[in-house]
Amino acid sequence: MPYGRIVEVFVAEPGTAGRNISSVRPDGRPGISINFSIDHARKKQPGRCVLRLYNVSDETAEAFESTTSIVRVEIGYEDEGTFVAFTGNPVPGGVFFQKQGADRVLHVEAQDGGRRYRIGRVDVSFSEQISAQTVFDEIIRQTSYPRGEVDLATALPFVRGYVFSGMARDALDEFVGHINREWFVRDGSLYVIDARNAVTETAPLFSSANGNLIGSPNAIKIDKVRGIEVHALPVAGMKAGKPFKVESRDYNGFYMAQEVSYRGSSYDGRFEVIVRGVPR
């Protein structure tokens, strides 16, 4: 059974050493108390993270104020190590102190790929027939998105060329609409895959025998499709788009994660991942 929660938050402006805020000090004593609420979805809207950091310094708060800063959240256990649950940028107006009894709590809101989503623009012009791969390469070049998994193998070409000038998110909407794909951003990287497929990654197992299932899975509907909701101990790499397997009394099989949420605190209460998926 996992032992000893760890929550670590790293924040840095690109090219700087940055600052690390940890719930455990190097000598093993308790560090900063940290609450987290993280939501990823297989949708174009950026994933969201809300942190509450207790009794940190003004200098620490200032590190989060730039919307170009990178915020990385790692969670896990002392005997298993941590994994990255979120990477993103602070949102404008999303960093401020709140008073909670005797505590001074820093509220931080960040979005996965949020800065590129808010301000990214492209100006693309191809007057003759062009492949989907070439159009995508140009969008990537202009936005500087790192590539995640991209499936363009059977994508139809743009027979009349392709012209677009405007927000990158709108260009991507138009692009995937033409080739019957969907796009989303995960850990700052751009994914373009068939809506019927999961990302080609190893499926984690959620089961009582595996020691990570919390309670019993529930039947839900996701966009009018029958699906499943699973509560479990945090699992490394569990993000939207990933396949997962469930073994329980009422559910057995593989699913595709449409929504993944992490909820918890470094000191007590919840510490879990919530996965909502549809049959694969």
Side-chain angles (χ1 to χ4, degrees), residues 60-141:
T60 295
E62 289 173 3
F64 289 95
E65 290 178 352
S66 172
T67 58
T68 61
S69 290
I70 303 298
V71 177
R72 186 178 72 241
V73 182
E74 298 188 14
I75 64 175
Y77 298 93
E78 291 180 12
D79 59 341
E80 295 181 352
T82 61
F83 65 89
V84 177
F86 177 86
T87 303
N89 312 110
V91 303
V95 179
F96 51 86
F97 276 108
Q98 295 175 309
K99 193 71 175 172
Q100 184 176 314
D103 294 312
R104 187 168 175 250
V105 184
L106 180 64
H107 174 105
V108 177
E109 181 176 348
Q111 289 180 327
D112 187 349
R115 179 173 172 78
R116 287 191 177 96
Y117 183 86
R118 290 192 305 273
I119 70 172
R121 295 184 61 86
V122 297
D123 202 344
V124 182
S125 180
F126 295 102
S127 59
E128 300 179 350
Q129 177 170 317
I130 194 75
S131 70
Q133 184 67 62
T134 301
V135 173
F136 181 75
D137 289 345
E138 182 59 19
I139 293 174
I140 282 285
R141 186 187 70 80

Side-chain angles (χ1 to χ4, degrees), residues 1-4 77 79-80 210-214 233:
M1 189 71 179
Y3 173 78
Y77 298 93
D79 59 341
E80 295 181 352
N210 208 31
N212 58 4
L213 193 61
I214 299 174
L233 299 179

